[in-house]
Amino acid sequence: MKVGMLTSGGDCAGLNAVMRAIALNLYTNVKNVEIVGFRDGYAGLIRGEAVPMRRADFEGMLRVGGTVLGTTRTPFKLMSVPEADGSTRLAKMVAAYRRLGLDCLFTLGGAGTHRTAALLCAEGCNVIGLPKTIDNDIYGTDVTFGFHTAVDVAADALERVRTTSESHRRTMLVEVMGNKAGWLTLYAGIAGGADVILLPEIPFNLDKVCAAVTQGYAAGKRCIVIAVGEGAALDSEAPFKRRERVFVRTERGETTVTQHLAEVIQERTGAETRATVLGYIQRGGEPSAYDRVLCTRLGSYAAQLCRAGRFGVTVAVSGNRITFNALPDIAGKYKFVDPNGEIVRAAEETGVCFGR
Amino acid sequence: MKYAVIDISSSSISLTAADDKGGEPFFRARESLTLLHYMDGHALSQRGIEKLIEAVLAMQEKCRSVGVDMLYLISTAALRAVLNSEEVHEEIFSATGIPLNFIDGETEAYCDYVANRAYGEAEGGAVLLDVGGASTEICDLNMEDREGLCCLDFGILTLRKKFVEKIQPGEEEAENIRKFLKKRFKKAGLPKKGVYDTVVLAGATNLALYAVYAEYTKTHTVGERVMDLKKFRKLTEHLLSGAGRAKLILDVAPDKLYAVGLAAVVAEALCKRFGAEKIVVSNKGVKEGYLELVRSGSFRGAYYDFSQEAGAKGRSVPQAAVSRPSAPTGKEQTVEAKKEGATPAADAAAQPAKRRGRPAKTKEEGAAPAAQPAANAAAQPAKRRGRPAKAKAESATPAADAAAQPAKRRGRPPKAKAPEQNGDGEENV
């Protein structure tokens, strides 16, 4: 058996742990297995450059952050666009898959990666997807690997910000990654004890946020910590398309709402207000213990699917069981936070303000 | 009274809800679910059953939220053909309380006809095509009732298994499919050019085909979904060999990835045979037809009664009070009624059904009750509408020839049980 693997899109902790689990499962249970890796995501497959990966290459990878294969973003919409040589990226990937004689390709990535995986599947390649993202927004799975590690990082940052904010009696806005879905902001906000949590799914009202800040200080708090999702938007911005929102913010010299919100809060409440963008530290570092277990389960299951000959699927978590979904059913779909769901309600009923 | 029908097909689960006033459906929902990926050989895997239950429960919740009173769950060839269909039925019922009605090919065709018979009013003759997973229904919309129905025992999945090596059919494979279709259309006695000007495409796969067409041709749909024949032919060529065909489908109809190319080949072959100049895509199919038949009392499928749920009295209905049938709806009375083989729908059918749609023909006996369409059809020769048929020795259309002979039953043999009850003889909830 000859299999290939690649990691595509934004990186996260746990990618190496998943590849390790796939490889060790196959090396342990299949005779004469050959594993190759493609560097830099789909770009490597497009180039057709396969890197042999022996069993020893996977030892010691369990706690290593990032991805040893490297990754890039290769937009789905460009996959079928003819290039200068007349061929398309999709055609090149399919040709490489066939030329290398692969029996299966494991694709570790987010929603966009899964769309391309579904394309490859549609062209006859045996593909098994694995759900990778710190945003936890892949449709059809309760949790994605990398998410809980990012939650730990962001929650820790919120706690650290709290101590300095308390010392200075400041209002601190902490911008958390998550452009489309607010899972990371929600979980990190709750875990980090944020007073206000602003999600892309719940357009927020400025007056309500300012009121929460004022009331918090009136109740005796020494600081207010606000977790702001990257994709959070004012209720006045919500009717506009994303492109229009970006334009208006760019005119202000901003890409997200965080800085603008900080200025308005300071102006209206009189509280000294600062903003911090966590940025890429949320992607980095070694995977948490939870993620190491999850990655091992997901990777091992993916290998089982391969051994069983079940392709065109992506591994998923459902009620603490590891299972699978059909790629065409989930490709391109996202999982959003339910604004009226149990988690948001639990936080709201314990006094967290969501700006509504 | 609000009715809803959930249809499980090979690639999706969809819901249509309408009230008893006879108007357009007020609610629709759809979720993709590619059963093909959940098969273990010819049986649906446990994971597939779980996904189905999950999807049915989600649809049931949607029905609850919009105040549906009676919910019917139907499945055609998709589940009819799986080896463990009984197990699937039992597990769905056990998890949701909703009994599953397996409907055969002929009933499928009849539901398609009922939903789309208005197209028969158009000049030049209209024929309907619905290509499902394992069967294909062709209905002469100018004929009365069941006379013009033709059910062929192949569908997308059959064609795929027989002719397509990978996911999308190639040109050579498409040519083989066309030859196969030509033989089967001829064997079914379908007429050739000059009988139908319009081909009406129905079903989820054809709707997906239209979505792909609209994207490919950059058509902005206003009102009726019409496909230009020349552009449609170009699309079909593209789907067989074009570079971006997979992406085109994945962008617009990812759950129909395996079906759209084949659907295009079948539709094109039928249009060619009939020399049809117009292709219309209907958004009504088996579900809408079944819905019309249950709310008129013509069908008595097994259903789920939301009024029997715990706390149903407190259930909030978003608009003004919905009128309820005069038949009793208490649990014991419903059980009693079921034992006698009647349902609230049947109670309504016991009275002359209020005819909807086209006015009934004037007959000496008076308007035919909707509950006895087959008997009426047999009593009088069918009046043909549209372009006059070419003279033939035997009869007006081959579809009528088929109707004149005892219909060949396809699909699973019917179960020997009352349709109001599920397989275990328990009352509907």
Side-chain angles (χ1 to χ4, degrees), chain A residues 76-77 80 88 98 115 118-119 121-124 139 310-313 318 321 323-326 328-329 333, chain B residues 31-34 37-40 45 47 50-51 166-168 243-247 250-251 254-255 257-258:
Chain A
F76 170 78
K77 60 186 174 187
S80 296
T88 64
R98 294 199 179 125
R115 289 186 85 183
L119 257 187
C121 176
E123 295 296 335
Y139 184 83
R310 193 179 287 284
F311 305 109
V313 296
S318 176
R321 284 183 316 124
T323 182
F324 66 89
N325 291 317
D329 292 344
K333 290 185 185 172
Chain B
E31 190 68 33
S32 66
L33 183 57
T34 316
H37 280 292
Y38 298 105
M39 299 299 289
D40 276 337
S45 66
R47 178 58 178 158
E50 281 166 21
K51 291 292 290 186
K166 297 199 169 71
I167 311 287
Q168 309 292 328
R245 57 186 180 159
K247 184 180 174 300
L250 280 172
D251 273 348
D255 54 316
L257 181 63
Y258 297 89

Side-chain angles (χ1 to χ4, degrees), chain B residues 34 38 45 57 65 94 114 133 142 191 210 220 264 273 293 295 308 332 354 365 372 387 415:
Chain B
T34 316
Y38 298 105
S45 66
L57 282 170
S65 71
S94 172
V114 165
N142 311 298
Y210 179 79
H220 176 60
R273 184 178 179 90
L293 289 164
R295 62 182 179 180
Q308 302 304 315
E332 304 84 28
K354 182 178 174 184
E365 302 80 18
Q372 297 180 8
R387 188 178 295 187
K415 290 184 185 177

